[in-house]
Amino acid sequence: MKKAASVKKAASAKKAASAKKAAPARKAPAAKKVTVAPKKATARVKGAAPAKAVVHPPGDESRTALVRRARRINRELAEVYPYAHPELDFDNPFQLVVATVLSAQTTDLRVNQTTPALFAKYPTPEDLAAANPEEVEEILRPTGFFRAKTKSVIGLSKALVEEFGGEVPGRLEDLVKLPGVGRKTAFVVLGNAFGRPGITVDTHFQRLVRRWQWTAETDPDKIEAAVGALFPKSDWTDLSHHVIWHGRRICHARKPACGACPIAPLCPAYGEGETDPEKAKKLLKYEKGGFPGQRLRPPQAYLDAGGKPAPPLGAG
Ligand code: SF4
């Protein structure tokens, strides 16, 4: 399934790239709608005439302009992370739902180091439903909150066996009834195991969409609705991967690497993090094992001759 998923992702990224090439040039927004909020962005814009290099302050950004800016950000991220995918390892919907529950409060890497032993011992919902909790706890200990997680994965396995014939259901309303499964986990499963569009509002997604001022909402369900309204449904799953990958690699919570960010010209929060290109470069996070399939351009590629963030490639 992983292999098929990557092929699908590659095809989808390719399609997005060619669609981008074919798209007509975008009209620059009217000058009167352009006001520049962040000081550093203002300084950058002075030297760069094209409107495409201007950050749009959401305060006076029209709905249409917001939709365009949001979709441009997603297109740029699709180029930077063409193979963005869920970073949890799984071979079937059961493994994905369990791995997603285990990923709470820990890293996907840690979960990926833990699940092979779990699924080797308990390959099906029936096996896990009948497991000795203490033995499961021992396996899950490295993921943190292992007692609660053990309860959840055994509980959800029992529910799968008793209510869904041992199969993971493909409907949101059924998934959210499973112990330990909220809307976030449900959308991960729907989008990646069933190919049904869903927005995954995790901690990265929440932080980034607020930085981009796509929405001021703080409740995950409201964020999901607000962001969903900016994009066609067919974009939702890939959009979630792009945003989460960007949050993990460049736009970190404490030290966003603004000086090495490919979407700096479209970001109202530019300057919230390190803007010096060399210092920003050091903040980029390369996880253990590298960036599978990732095509992150070198940070210099995002800067113009004056060392200011350049317009995104292919923009305008
Ligand atoms: S790294 Fe900086 S410029 Fe890039 S998206 Fe985050 S806040 Fe915006």
Side-chain angles (χ1 to χ4, degrees):
M1 179 176 278
K2 271 183 287 181
K3 198 172 177 185
S6 349
V7 170
K8 200 172 158 195
K9 297 295 309 173
S12 136
K14 212 172 174 183
K15 201 171 153 197
S18 45
K20 180 171 180 168
K21 271 182 201 157
R26 293 197 172 278
K27 202 176 168 186
K32 63 180 180 181
K33 286 190 177 177
V34 174
T35 326
V36 178
K39 272 190 170 179
K40 287 175 183 174
T42 307
R44 167 166 57 82
V45 166
K46 276 181 187 165
K52 64 188 177 183
V54 174
V55 173
H56 297 265
D60 71 349
E61 186 176 42
S62 70
R63 175 79 187 167
T64 308
L66 170 62
V67 169
R68 283 185 181 157
R69 184 170 61 86
R71 293 185 185 186
R72 275 180 65 181
I73 287 177
N74 187 36
R75 285 198 300 275
E76 282 307 313
L77 295 180
E79 289 232 330
V80 181
Y81 312 114
Y83 300 109
H85 57 271
E87 295 182 89
L88 291 169
D89 292 339
F90 67 99
D91 286 327
N92 54 50
F94 169 62
Q95 290 189 0
L96 179 58
V97 73
V98 169
T100 309
V101 168
L102 297 181
S103 69
Q105 311 289 329
T106 190
T107 63
D108 287 357
L109 179 65
R110 176 72 66 193
V111 175
N112 290 341
Q113 289 167 341
T114 307
T115 47
L118 181 73
F119 297 136
K121 193 161 183 187
Y122 311 105
T124 67
E126 288 80 2
D127 297 321
L128 197 48
N132 176 337
E134 284 175 13
E135 289 175 17
V136 177
E137 282 178 4
E138 270 320 295
I139 297 175
L140 299 186
R141 187 180 288 272
T143 69
F145 303 97
F146 59 93
R147 288 199 183 91
K149 288 180 181 177
T150 296
K151 214 171 156 192
S152 288
V153 296
I154 291 181
L156 84 83
S157 299
K158 281 183 180 160
L160 290 176
V161 172
E162 289 163 13
E163 292 166 40
F164 299 100
E167 299 288 330
V168 175
R171 297 193 319 165
L172 178 68
E173 53 270 46
D174 293 330
L175 282 165
V176 293
K177 285 183 198 151
L178 296 169
V181 177
R183 285 176 75 85
K184 188 195 91 175
T185 300
F187 279 128
V188 169
V189 175
L190 287 175
N192 301 290
F194 292 96
R196 304 207 176 132
I199 293 182
T200 308
V201 183
D202 74 349
T203 175
H204 299 290
F205 196 95
Q206 293 186 35
R207 179 178 75 252
L208 268 62
V209 300
R210 280 204 296 272
R211 276 182 179 160
W212 298 334
Q213 300 192 17
W214 289 1
T215 177
E217 299 288 357
T218 50
D219 174 74
D221 290 356
K222 290 185 180 164
I223 291 174
E224 181 197 315
V227 174
L230 300 174
F231 293 88
K233 261 190 169 186
S234 54
D235 285 355
W236 287 359
T237 303
D238 284 346
L239 167 74
S240 305
H241 295 323
H242 298 152
V243 175
I244 292 168
W245 275 45
H246 194 60
R248 284 182 175 155
R249 289 156 175 80
I250 296 180
C251 190
H252 311 127
R254 286 197 210 138
K255 291 184 177 173
C258 297
C261 178
I263 55 164
L266 299 165
C267 177
Y270 170 79
E272 203 171 293
E274 180 57 65
T275 54
D276 179 88
E278 282 311 311
K279 288 182 187 164
K281 192 177 163 185
K282 290 185 184 138
L283 295 173
L284 299 178
K285 273 198 186 151
Y286 292 84
E287 292 165 15
K288 237 182 185 176
F291 279 61
Q294 195 232 20
R295 289 182 191 155
L296 196 62
R297 284 173 268 163
Q300 305 86 289
Y302 305 129
L303 306 173
D304 66 18
K308 310 276 171 55
L313 297 184

